[in-house]
Amino acid sequence: MYGRAHLEERLKRALAEALQGLEDPRLFLLTVEAVRLSPDGQVLTVYVEAFAEEEKALAALEHAKGRLLSALAERVRLRRLPRLAFVPWRPQPS
């Protein structure tokens, strides 16, 4: 049995691959920096960094949620698909 960190890494990789398949120019130069699955598994918080217009990129992600969830379902086996929540990546200063 794999741990939560392994599952989150698989989800992150699957989302990054799914994003590459979207042909939305607002998602150009967007990276998935991290993902966190809620303790109950119902919400997957996706931290993204947009090197261009952040608000437009977040709107594009909201628009593509259904396709991204379908892509996740194909790539990672889960009992229940989590709800996706996209938030801007804000690294903590060290």
Side-chain angles (χ1 to χ4, degrees), residues 7 13 15 20 22 24-25 27 31 36 41 56 65 70 72 74 78 81 83 86 89:
L7 176 59
R13 199 172 320 122
L15 267 177
Q20 289 177 347
L22 298 177
D24 190 323
L27 298 175
T31 58
R36 293 292 171 262
K56 287 184 178 182
K65 263 185 185 176
S70 294
L72 267 186
E74 290 174 10
L78 297 169
L81 276 178
R83 197 171 72 247
F86 296 101
W89 173 250

Side-chain angles (χ1 to χ4, degrees), residues 14-23 30 68:
L15 267 177
E17 289 171 9
L19 282 169
Q20 289 177 347
L22 298 177
E23 295 180 6
L30 178 114
L68 292 171

Side-chain angles (χ1 to χ4, degrees), residues 15-91:
L15 267 177
E17 289 171 9
L19 282 169
Q20 289 177 347
L22 298 177
E23 295 180 6
D24 190 323
R26 298 173 293 179
L27 298 175
F28 185 65
L29 294 177
L30 178 114
T31 58
V32 176
E33 294 293 335
V35 299
R36 293 292 171 262
L37 191 60
S38 64
D40 62 6
Q42 293 199 12
V43 179
L44 182 67
T45 303
V46 183
Y47 297 91
V48 296
E49 185 165 14
F51 295 96
E53 298 174 21
E54 186 176 89
E55 284 184 29
K56 287 184 178 182
L58 289 171
L61 288 169
E62 287 296 320
H63 182 73
K65 263 185 185 176
R67 282 183 287 167
L68 292 171
L69 274 173
S70 294
L72 267 186
E74 290 174 10
R75 291 174 169 87
V76 181
R77 253 201 348 214
L78 297 169
R79 225 176 277 144
R80 184 179 332 135
L81 276 178
R83 197 171 72 247
L84 297 177
F86 296 101
V87 295
W89 173 250
R90 300 283 185 256

